[in-house]
Amino acid sequence: EAGVAQSPRYKIIEKRQSVAFWCNPISGHATLYWYQQILGQGPKLLIQFQNNGVVDDSQLPKDRFSAERLKGVDSTLKIQPAKLEDSAVYLCASRRGRGPYEQYFGPGTRLTVT
Amino acid sequence: AQSVTQLDSQVPVFEEAPVELRCNYSSSVSVYLFWYVQYPNQGLQLLLKYLSGSTLVESINGFEAEFNKSQTSFHLRKPSVHISDTAEYFCAVSGSSGSARQLTFGSGTQLTVLP
């Protein structure tokens, strides 16, 4: 079974530029998450999708961050415009269903904003 | 709302020595508890989880954790560590139902096994 795929793995941009991250979850996983992991901290949930609907985006800075999951499979997270404090690893995770099932994480995208 | 406190940010230990990584949580609802491990430049991998039943849970690579409801703790232990156990370890909690089911992570403990 293929794992959660993310691209790119690394990205360096200047502040005020825009950037997009892509995630392909494990086949059949209905639930998809985006997390932000700042250096020295644990992952913080940004947004949760159930199929192609948003379950929780309460911690997503909506003035600059957006995410979509068209057709309930792949997902894209966008930042526009980026700020220095957005430098972090962005992790995508997927889970089979609504129960206490394990979340499977992708390798992450390391974003550096200069 | 849930929160997780990992008391030690860094734990250095010699190879073949025992180790304990501490985790305390707070929650107003019933919880599920998890330990994840993150190797350099990799995503998080589930190490073990407590959902219900026996309070002592074990992983396939020799780690174990015990759910202590009265002390709201879920400490991770291994009787003899290997160099390959060097990684960052995250404790996480989720509620057992509804919107509380999302994972809340601690800040992580970097375990460094020294030769």
Side-chain angles (χ1 to χ4, degrees):
Chain A
E1 179 181 70
V4 177
Q6 290 188 248
S7 69
R9 291 294 312 275
Y10 304 92
K11 189 74 177 179
I12 301 173
I13 62 172
E14 296 181 352
K15 59 184 178 184
R16 292 187 290 274
Q17 287 187 323
S18 62
V19 64
F21 313 128
W22 173 82
C23 172
N24 181 240
I26 293 173
S27 178
H29 281 198
T31 308
L32 184 146
Y33 306 84
W34 283 101
Y35 290 87
Q36 180 191 58
Q37 185 179 16
I38 293 173
L39 186 65
Q41 300 180 20
K44 183 187 82 171
L45 179 69
L46 292 175
I47 189 167
Q48 176 186 348
F49 291 94
Q50 182 74 22
N51 296 309
N52 61 348
V54 175
V55 174
D56 185 352
D57 63 356
S58 58
Q59 299 192 79
L60 187 74
K62 298 181 187 64
D63 58 332
R64 298 184 300 107
F65 286 62
S66 64
E68 60 183 11
R69 191 184 183 197
L70 300 176
K71 302 179 183 179
V73 181
D74 294 7
S75 179
T76 303
L77 177 69
K78 297 179 181 177
I79 307 175
Q80 182 179 9
K83 293 185 175 181
L84 295 176
E85 57 261 36
D86 298 332
S87 294
V89 175
Y90 291 85
L91 295 166
C92 179
S94 70
R95 190 179 71 179
R96 183 154 54 95
R98 287 180 175 269
Y101 304 113
E102 175 183 353
Q103 289 188 28
Y104 292 83
F105 284 80
T109 297
R110 182 177 298 277
L111 174 66
T112 302
V113 182
T114 62
Chain B
Q2 293 101 225
S3 67
V4 177
T5 302
Q6 291 185 247
L7 297 166
D8 306 299
S9 61
Q10 308 231 10
V11 174
V13 63
F14 287 106
E15 192 173 16
E16 297 183 5
V19 71
E20 177 180 82
L21 307 184
R22 295 180 293 171
C23 172
N24 289 90
Y25 69 92
S26 69
S27 177
S28 56
V29 298
S30 297
V31 297
Y32 299 135
L33 292 156
F34 306 81
W35 275 99
Y36 281 82
V37 59
Q38 187 175 34
Y39 298 102
N41 298 315
Q42 295 186 27
L44 281 75
Q45 301 170 34
L46 182 67
L47 190 61
L48 47 74
K49 61 186 177 185
Y50 169 79
L51 303 180
S52 64
S54 173
T55 57
L56 183 65
V57 291
E58 299 176 351
S59 72
I60 59 173
N61 57 354
F63 283 93
E64 65 179 30
E66 185 160 19
F67 170 51
N68 188 318
K69 187 175 183 179
S70 62
Q71 297 187 8
T72 60
S73 67
F74 192 55
H75 301 331
L76 182 70
R77 302 183 182 94
K78 189 171 186 180
S80 176
V81 294
H82 303 289
I83 296 287
S84 59
D85 293 324
T86 294
E88 186 135 28
Y89 292 80
F90 292 92
C91 182
V93 63
S94 80
S96 57
S97 64
S99 61
R101 195 176 287 154
Q102 292 161 354
L103 278 178
T104 300
F105 287 87
S107 56
T109 297
Q110 174 63 45
L111 173 64
T112 303
V113 180
L114 306 167

